Amino acid sequence: MTDPVGPPLGILAELTHRCPLQCGYCSNPVELLKANRELDTETWIDTFEQAARLGILQVHLSGGEPTLRRDLEEIIACLSQNGVYTNLITAAVTLTRDRLEAFVDAGLEHAQISFQGAKAETTELVGHYRGGHEKKLQAARWVRELGLPLTVNAPIHKLNIAEVPEFVALALEIGAERLEIANVQYYGWAYLNRSALLPDYDAVMRQVDYVEKTRDELTGILNIDFVTPDYYADYPKPCMGGWGKDAFAITPDGHVLPCHAAQSITSLKFDRVTDKPLKDIWEGSDAFNRFRGYDWMPEPCRSCERKEIDFGGCRCQAFALTGDAAATDPTCKLSPYHDRLRELPAAQEIRKRVLSAGKILAENA
Amino acid sequence: MPPCSRHIVDTTSRPALAAHVRLTFNELRGKWAVLAPEKVLWPDEVSADILKRCTGDEPISKIVADLAQDYDAPADQIAPDVLAFVQEWSDRLLIRCSRADAEAAR
């Protein structure tokens, strides 16, 4: 790695793992952290001030459910005062109008509300929260009333892939500017539950056709961002736009990660914001430098003309499916492990995302 | 609220940056940045000059005339580029346009 490390652009800040929903594909790690492991307000504020000096322009405030942090308005105010753009990523079932107004007063600039289904019964079935759908619709109306731009986040899997057209109708009805049709990516909880969640090939192809057609029709009315399911792709996704290139994640207990799932790579060690300055972690830590640039790549990536497009794909997926985090992402058809994507475990019920059971589930998976 | 139909840009359109879309000069990197929901864009100097004039007060015809003066270039040469730029940003909902004639008719 000879190129100097450029300034980072964005942070995914997972302020807490606490969440009122129990989705079986949660992007949090299978071993969830309890509230007593979370950073205190002062440490978050100090971290975000360092981040702004380092060049961070956007922070995605996420969780778990970030609004469960009582200091969220304080955190937003700190970021706003430092010129940093804030996105709130919320399940919105425990949100009140007063709270949302306090966030806006503090400088919040955008809200993203997840909908587990386009229909109320699907939202309940997936998230296991009674009356959740109506609460989300109410929160979306408040976002509009308070003049914030709104994104509807729709995580797509076998149970709701047929509802994609209804998700588009929902986004238009509540006046969202953006709709994320985000096919679940199979790490952590979703990997554990993949036999129950992975849609079949035909359903995915129907979805791709529909989204591409609809995106054209709704140009200038609704922005549709489409995250495709990489299990059926020929080439991998450019994960994080390159490892340690533009963005990083911070866990509730302050670990700084090149991607939010990176702790699944057990061969890497990660620094915490309480150990050393953020700048030292970003520029100098082994975990960030391990897969920066192109020199670490083995074949077939090393001589591949696509290496600057997809950076060899996802390191977490490579590790999960091959045991080697430097291997070519198996979603690439050039990977010798590509066939492993078709090996699904026997059908099982979806394991709910719950605080204490994750470790046991992972060990028995 | 997002528009209920696509705005087709012409010289009477009055473009403004959408709410919570911010044009800012980033000192650290020495370039203009546009901060928007879930994205950061890096307009070049010319694009930044157009965006600075997207205040909602002026129609594109006036923006083109001002740019023609600043860049010492013929307005009819600049106009197609400005229209295409505003249409693209309007399609991505980063710019919202109102129409002078729509206001007059009200």
Side-chain angles (χ1 to χ4, degrees):
Chain A
M1 191 60 216
T2 46
D3 292 344
V5 178
L9 209 53
I11 301 178
L12 176 71
E14 294 183 336
L15 301 174
T16 180
H17 281 163
R18 290 173 286 144
C19 187
L21 304 190
Q22 299 177 330
C23 311
Y25 49 77
C26 181
S27 62
N28 288 157
V30 173
E31 272 185 75
L32 296 163
L33 296 169
K34 291 185 176 152
N36 62 7
R37 300 279 301 279
E38 293 174 14
L39 296 180
D40 60 17
T41 310
E42 247 173 79
T43 310
W44 276 117
I45 299 277
D46 173 62
T47 301
F48 287 135
E49 284 173 347
Q50 290 185 56
R53 288 197 295 275
L54 198 53
I56 289 291
L57 293 178
Q58 286 220 354
V59 170
H60 311 279
L61 298 160
S62 181
E65 174 51 47
T67 63
L68 295 179
R69 288 282 306 206
R70 294 206 184 96
D71 54 2
L72 186 57
E73 28 294 70
E74 223 178 308
I75 287 171
I76 292 168
C78 159
L79 289 164
S80 180
Q81 281 153 22
N82 283 282
V84 178
Y85 197 96
T86 46
N87 293 308
L88 174 65
I89 299 176
T90 178
V93 296
T94 51
L95 202 52
T96 62
R97 194 183 194 285
D98 286 350
R99 199 78 201 290
L100 194 59
E101 203 165 354
F103 300 152
V104 175
D105 289 345
L108 181 67
E109 308 218 54
H110 169 244
Q112 178 188 123
I113 298 180
S114 63
F115 279 82
Q116 286 65 41
K119 301 178 193 157
E121 59 266 32
T122 313
T123 301
E124 273 188 40
L125 173 76
V126 175
H128 303 281
Y129 192 92
R130 184 170 295 189
H133 196 76
E134 189 41 56
K135 289 192 155 66
K136 288 163 184 282
L137 290 173
Q138 177 61 68
R141 286 191 285 269
W142 293 330
V143 168
R144 302 284 11 162
E145 284 167 24
L146 293 166
L148 282 189
L150 172 66
T151 291
V152 168
N153 168 264
I156 302 297
H157 44 79
K158 196 190 279 184
L159 304 185
N160 67 3
I161 192 163
E163 289 176 34
V164 168
E166 281 108 321
F167 274 115
V168 174
L170 173 89
L172 289 170
E173 193 184 312
I174 62 182
E177 277 89 352
R178 259 180 99 244
L179 169 63
E180 280 185 6
I181 302 284
N183 282 271
V184 163
Q185 305 293 307
Y186 293 91
Y187 316 114
W189 288 96
Y191 186 73
L192 202 61
N193 287 318
R194 64 195 183 283
S195 68
L197 292 173
L198 185 68
D200 66 50
Y201 179 82
D202 291 342
V204 169
M205 289 307 125
R206 277 196 302 275
Q207 176 198 218
V208 170
D209 289 345
Y210 174 81
V211 172
E212 283 175 358
K213 174 177 74 86
T214 307
R215 187 157 47 183
D216 281 353
E217 288 167 4
L218 293 176
T219 296
I221 300 166
L222 176 70
N223 286 333
I224 302 180
D225 278 9
F226 188 37
V227 181
T228 56
D230 61 2
Y231 266 48
Y232 295 119
D234 288 338
Y235 296 108
K237 58 180 177 279
C239 200
M240 297 300 288
W243 184 273
K245 195 153 171 276
D246 288 324
F248 58 86
I250 306 181
T251 64
D253 65 346
H255 283 96
V256 186
L257 311 177
C259 115
H260 70 273
Q263 280 172 315
S264 65
I265 305 174
T266 50
S267 55
L268 291 177
K269 283 205 163 29
F270 302 96
D271 294 314
R272 297 177 65 196
V273 293
T274 45
D275 298 332
K276 52 175 91 164
L278 200 54
K279 185 178 166 66
D280 294 356
I281 298 174
W282 170 252
E283 291 176 357
S285 70
D286 292 340
F288 276 87
N289 284 325
R290 177 69 183 84
F291 300 117
R292 266 201 176 111
Y294 308 98
D295 292 347
W296 59 271
M297 287 179 178
E299 293 294 355
C301 294
R302 178 178 281 271
S303 57
C304 180
E305 58 182 15
R306 292 182 57 88
K307 72 179 176 186
E308 290 177 33
I309 299 171
D310 60 34
F311 312 101
C314 170
R315 298 303 92 227
C316 302
Q317 197 146 264
F319 185 77
L321 292 167
T322 75
D324 174 11
T328 297
D329 184 338
T331 58
C332 182
K333 64 180 181 183
L334 302 174
S335 161
Y337 297 98
H338 193 54
D339 292 346
R340 287 204 184 168
L341 296 175
R342 301 289 163 264
E343 294 168 12
L344 284 184
Q348 263 181 318
E349 267 182 53
I350 294 178
R351 267 71 54 94
K352 291 187 210 169
R353 174 217 198 269
V354 279
L355 207 58
S356 51
K359 192 174 180 186
I360 303 158
L361 287 173
E363 282 167 359
N364 294 326
Chain B
M1 291 288 280
C4 47
S5 64
R6 182 186 182 212
H7 181 92
I8 304 299
V9 174
D10 64 32
T11 51
T12 67
S13 304
R14 292 169 187 264
L17 287 181
H20 299 283
V21 174
R22 288 199 273 131
L23 175 69
T24 171
F25 188 78
N26 185 243
E27 296 289 345
L28 183 80
R29 295 169 175 87
K31 54 183 179 179
W32 288 96
V34 171
L35 306 184
E38 319 256 344
K39 55 170 93 62
V40 179
L41 299 101
W42 305 99
D44 60 20
E45 285 290 327
V46 180
S47 302
D49 271 345
I50 299 172
L51 291 170
K52 276 181 243 173
R53 288 170 167 82
C54 293
T55 59
D57 298 329
E58 308 288 0
I60 290 184
S61 53
K62 175 77 165 66
I63 293 173
V64 168
D66 289 353
L67 288 166
Q69 196 162 23
D70 287 3
Y71 283 85
D72 198 16
D76 55 0
Q77 208 177 310
I78 293 178
D81 290 346
V82 176
L83 288 167
F85 177 87
V86 175
Q87 184 69 62
E88 192 199 325
W89 281 59
S90 171
D91 284 348
R92 298 169 76 187
L93 304 177
L94 297 163
I95 280 178
R96 298 299 173 82
C97 293
S98 56
R99 190 94 65 186
D101 54 10
E103 280 162 31
R106 210 176 282 153

